[in-house]
Amino acid sequence: MNLHEFQSKDLFRTAGIPVPPGDVATTVEGALASAGGFGYPVVVKAQVLIGGRGKAGGVKVVRTPEELSREAGRILGMNLRGLKVSRVLITPSAEIAREYYAGMVLDRRNELPVLMVSPEGGIDIEEVARERPEKLLKIPVDLRGLPHYRARAAARFLDKDPAIQKKIASILRLLAGVYRERDASLAEINPLVVTKGGEVLALDAKVVIDDSALDRHPDLAAMRDLSAEDPDEIEARERGLSYVKLDGSIGCVVNGAGLAMATMDLIQFHGGKPANFLDIGGSSNPESDPAHRNEREGSARASLEARDDRLERHGRSGPRGHRARGGGGMSAAGAEKPA
Amino acid sequence: MSVLIGRATRVLVQGITGRDGAFHTRGMLDYGTKVVAGVTPGKGGEKVHSVPVFDSVEEAVARTGANCSVIYVPAALAQDAIYEAVDSGIPLVVCISEGIPVRDMVEVAAYMRGRHGRLVGPNCPGLISPGQSKVGIMPGSIVKPGKVGVVSRSGTLTYEVVWQLTRAGLGQSTCIGIGGDPIVGTRFADMLALYEQDPGTEAIVLIGEIGGSDEEDAALLIKRSITKPVVAFVAGQTAPPGKRMGHAGAIVSGGSGTAQEKMARFQGAGIPVAKTPSEIPGLILAALRPKRKSGLKLLRGRRTKAPKGKSKTPQRASKLPRRRAR
């Protein structure tokens, strides 16, 4: 589950990571009131769950109330890559001296979380990893957490000033703590800035929570922003289905994630375009309970039929997987009828 | 022959009194698996499908000699169930449960390092050695004894591929779903090494999917040290980036973990990659063809169950073109 910037910053703030103050506003009036409290200049930041908000025009520094009215009015209600902006974060503009990157993520190969830091902050970290790997330091974080000495090593990689290094090291340890305690799959500060006044701040924050762990974090589960998600995907999740909306015209109802992906691939391979990914289950949620399964299939059908006519034609025969495959002449294994 | 499980496997079911546990215990018994014990804390003394239930794994092992555990407990309890099985000295622990928090698995992986005992899964369908034993939830009706090892990150896609193999006359030594989570106990590389050592396995089907770098690691290993032919398939060629496709581990992030990248790695390592699952049997047959002996044994398996060794006679070799022409 992706958290908004303001939610991520709340988590950081609670953990003791220095974060600039900020208010969430849903109206221009609210934005003006917040900015009045902070004093200009302030930054208006669209709160939507996409990366690259700045490039897409969702982040703006404003110096006067007039400018704020104009920009907040423009950003609130704008469409950022398909997502409507209903909230902005108003935060004082920081005087940045230097900016860095710090992030915690799972290293699947080593089966451990890894802390990644880079002196190149504020930009796409994957680009740094690809093109200038020497600018990226990775430190595995085992069950001990992030020991002081490793945090210090990471801080030295970022900044020359010993006083700043100390502050950075402390933040990195807290970041590793948030990642672990909150069952995050990503906890990222980009950029981590050193201000002209010698402060170190998490200027932007991005936290993704492991969906499988939400049961033990009801406070985080409650942060889910339904308005930021596709209604079909919400409905599917509530019914325990795994669903991803796509832009094609052939509805897919499949038992099992791998088979669902392979089915999408086959549709494309044979010249069609899948309208969705839908896994109605297929591992340990069995056959043993037909009533439950019927309910699942029914909801799958319902969610598909709620879509456009074009899709309904395909979706209606979908839920009975094998019959549909036979009837359509396309088995999951290729354009052949099942034996 | 087979890997990991066979006729000597004595299975203990953790969570046997639950819906999934009881249902699949029935399925395993019906297939002929030796299910010797079940464990559900607080329900010791009960029986499920005539299988005795114990309060702890330790007790169940002591009383029944179980040497394999299969776990069907809810995700929140799965970490503890794995610990209990490993601590009781069970050499093979198969965790079917789906939805275990990644942090729990990071801890399990750290605990398992340097310890005896192998974990398969979680979030997996388990294993089946056709005609010998099944541990988990794979349907026994689609498999057939033979010489192809099948290893996959998926469940039902594996069934589809196995069924294709069976219909093409290609039986299997052992089929295993290693699980769709970001962290699993047994990876492609582990299974490839086991198949390589198994005299009953002559070719390997590897079914990967988007996310992570396990396929890339496998490609490297195959190039370096696997002599048996491998055919690969990768699901998720049309998956949009940043979206989790059902499996917790199936996600393309930051442009890495794509199906295209994985397929290119396999191809770069000289491994045939099937574009669709239905191409797999043909590629396996083609991969086996240059090796006359093994190819023949394999083909012969389609028809008869003649005693071992005869397949190496030259007169059998003449049958090969005829079969192909069909």
Side-chain angles (χ1 to χ4, degrees):
Chain A
M1 182 181 87
N2 296 329
L3 296 184
H4 282 296
E5 176 191 0
F6 72 92
Q7 295 167 325
S8 305
K9 282 183 169 171
D10 284 346
L11 288 193
F12 285 173
R13 198 178 282 120
T14 311
I17 296 173
V19 171
D23 280 341
V24 175
T26 54
T27 61
V28 173
E29 294 69 38
L32 284 167
S34 300
F38 297 132
Y40 291 85
V42 295
V43 190
V44 191
K45 305 178 89 176
Q47 297 297 290
V48 282
L49 298 170
I50 58 161
R53 287 169 300 165
K55 275 183 205 155
V59 179
K60 224 44 192 187
V61 182
V62 295
R63 287 164 207 294
T64 62
E66 294 71 37
E67 220 184 331
L68 175 60
S69 300
R70 194 175 65 238
E71 292 301 330
R74 181 182 63 82
I75 293 172
L76 280 167
M78 81 184 285
N79 206 310
L80 280 183
R81 276 185 245 141
L83 290 171
K84 193 164 174 274
V85 181
S86 58
R87 272 180 296 212
V88 290
L89 179 68
I90 307 294
T91 181
S93 176
E95 290 205 87
I96 300 168
R98 306 184 280 284
E99 46 188 341
Y100 306 126
Y101 171 91
M104 287 285 303
V105 68
L106 178 70
D107 176 354
R108 290 167 65 156
R109 181 176 277 139
N110 292 314
E111 301 174 329
L112 279 178
V114 62
L115 169 72
M116 299 193 295
V117 293
S118 171
E120 300 200 12
I123 58 167
D124 180 13
I125 197 62
E126 273 116 17
E127 188 192 311
V128 176
R130 242 186 345 262
E131 283 156 29
R132 296 176 296 283
E134 74 283 358
K135 296 282 191 189
L136 186 66
L137 178 69
K138 294 183 181 183
I139 298 178
V141 181
D142 58 29
L143 300 190
R144 295 171 297 175
L146 184 66
H148 286 283
Y149 84 93
R150 287 190 169 167
R152 288 198 300 267
R156 280 197 301 276
F157 183 74
L158 295 182
D159 203 286
K160 287 190 171 61
D161 181 338
I164 300 295
Q165 283 171 8
K166 214 171 166 182
K167 289 180 181 171
I168 292 176
S170 153
I171 289 172
L172 295 178
R173 280 171 48 82
L174 293 168
L175 180 67
V178 170
Y179 179 89
R180 191 193 142 71
E181 298 306 321
R182 312 308 320 227
D183 274 298
S185 44
L186 173 75
E188 188 178 74
I189 305 175
N190 189 22
L192 175 68
V193 302
V194 181
T195 66
K196 288 180 180 159
E199 269 185 295
V200 183
L201 289 172
L203 208 61
D204 200 351
K206 185 176 178 187
V207 175
V208 179
I209 304 294
D210 176 3
D211 287 312
S212 296
L214 284 173
D215 282 350
R216 59 190 183 203
H217 300 289
D219 57 329
L220 298 178
M223 287 185 184
R224 192 183 285 281
D225 178 7
L226 296 178
S227 71
E229 293 180 48
D230 181 87
D232 287 351
E233 294 184 11
I234 296 169
E235 189 193 341
R237 189 182 52 246
E238 280 167 358
R239 291 167 187 270
L241 304 165
S242 181
Y243 174 84
V244 177
K245 193 177 195 166
L246 301 168
D247 56 8
S249 58
I250 299 178
C252 304
V253 183
V254 186
N255 59 332
L259 192 57
M261 276 187 274
T263 305
M264 284 165 43
D265 294 349
L266 277 166
I267 288 172
Q268 187 128 319
F269 187 78
H270 291 281
K273 286 198 97 181
N276 68 288
F277 166 93
L278 176 58
D279 168 15
I280 61 168
S283 59
S284 65
N285 218 331
E287 309 103 72
S288 63
D289 188 344
H292 188 213
R293 197 177 54 171
N294 286 343
E295 188 209 324
R296 286 179 151 217
E297 292 187 351
S299 66
R301 183 168 35 228
S303 91
L304 283 175
E305 285 179 357
R307 302 166 58 87
D308 62 29
D309 292 345
R310 206 175 31 156
L311 189 115
E312 194 180 342
R313 286 202 301 278
H314 299 278
R316 202 166 263 161
S317 63
R320 285 170 204 89
H322 281 280
R323 205 187 65 186
R325 276 168 30 191
M330 183 189 287
S331 97
E336 325 166 348
K337 288 191 164 71
Chain B
M1 288 296 285
S2 58
V3 298
L4 293 176
I5 61 167
R7 286 184 222 288
T9 302
R10 295 172 66 79
V11 178
L12 174 161
V13 180
Q14 287 177 264
I16 193 168
T17 55
R19 188 192 67 191
D20 290 356
F23 178 82
H24 290 295
T25 296
R26 180 77 264 159
M28 288 188 281
L29 287 167
D30 289 347
Y31 194 72
T33 304
K34 295 183 187 76
V35 182
V36 296
V39 168
T40 297
K43 299 205 174 170
E46 291 184 12
K47 288 203 165 175
V48 173
H49 306 308
S50 309
V51 176
V53 179
F54 299 90
D55 284 318
S56 75
V57 174
E58 194 181 9
E59 189 190 353
V61 170
R63 300 273 293 277
T64 66
N67 57 14
C68 171
S69 169
V70 57
I71 296 173
Y72 295 97
V73 305
L77 311 176
Q79 186 195 47
D80 194 68
I82 295 170
Y83 285 152
E84 189 182 358
V86 173
D87 288 352
S88 303
I90 291 190
L92 178 65
V93 181
V94 181
C95 186
I96 308 297
S97 313
E98 177 175 1
I100 302 177
V102 171
R103 194 219 297 175
D104 292 8
M105 284 311 300
V106 166
E107 291 166 2
V108 166
Y111 185 75
M112 298 289 290
R113 246 166 252 144
R115 276 191 172 71
H116 292 292
R118 168 180 298 285
L119 173 68
V120 171
N123 189 14
C124 80
L127 323 77
I128 190 163
S129 293
Q132 300 183 51
S133 182
K134 106 165 178 170
V135 176
I137 66 175
M138 286 201 197
S141 54
I142 57 168
V143 299
K144 164 190 161 85
K147 315 249 165 150
V148 180
V150 179
V151 57
S152 170
R153 275 169 69 191
S154 169
T156 51
L157 174 59
T158 317
Y159 310 162
E160 189 69 37
V161 171
V162 166
W163 177 233
Q164 295 271 331
L165 291 170
T166 296
R167 279 204 305 164
L170 292 162
Q172 306 89 37
S173 55
T174 298
C175 307
I176 178 171
I178 58 174
D181 273 7
I183 296 180
V184 292
T186 296
R187 304 201 219 177
F188 283 133
D190 303 305
M191 286 312 300
L192 289 167
L194 288 168
Y195 285 134
E196 176 72 10
Q197 287 159 17
D198 174 38
T201 301
E202 295 186 350
I204 303 160
V205 175
L206 186 156
I207 303 161
E209 64 186 31
I210 55 165
S213 54
D214 221 19
E215 290 80 1
E216 287 85 336
D217 293 347
L220 198 64
L221 178 86
I222 293 165
K223 199 175 176 184
R224 281 188 186 150
S225 58
I226 302 296
T227 60
K228 296 177 182 176
V230 181
V231 169
F233 175 76
V234 183
Q237 295 162 49
T238 52
K243 289 280 189 179
R244 214 166 281 281
M245 307 303 280
H247 289 155
I251 183 165
V252 172
S253 42
S256 78
T258 64
Q260 285 73 10
E261 191 180 308
K262 292 169 189 289
M263 291 162 78
R265 280 304 175 89
F266 283 125
Q267 279 156 345
I271 301 153
V273 178
K275 282 187 219 66
T276 67
S278 58
E279 283 183 14
I280 293 172
L283 288 173
I284 284 284
L285 286 168
L288 284 166
R289 233 164 251 150
K291 293 185 172 185
R292 292 230 134 185
K293 281 188 202 166
S294 46
L296 271 172
K297 261 194 273 178
L298 223 135
L299 281 168
R300 197 169 48 80
R302 293 164 72 163
R303 211 175 243 175
T304 58
K305 287 196 173 178
K308 245 186 178 172
K310 279 203 178 173
S311 63
K312 290 175 185 171
T313 60
Q315 115 205 57
R316 294 261 170 187
S318 63
K319 284 194 174 173
L320 186 59
R322 217 169 52 206
R323 292 204 65 92
R324 262 199 280 166
R326 199 178 64 165

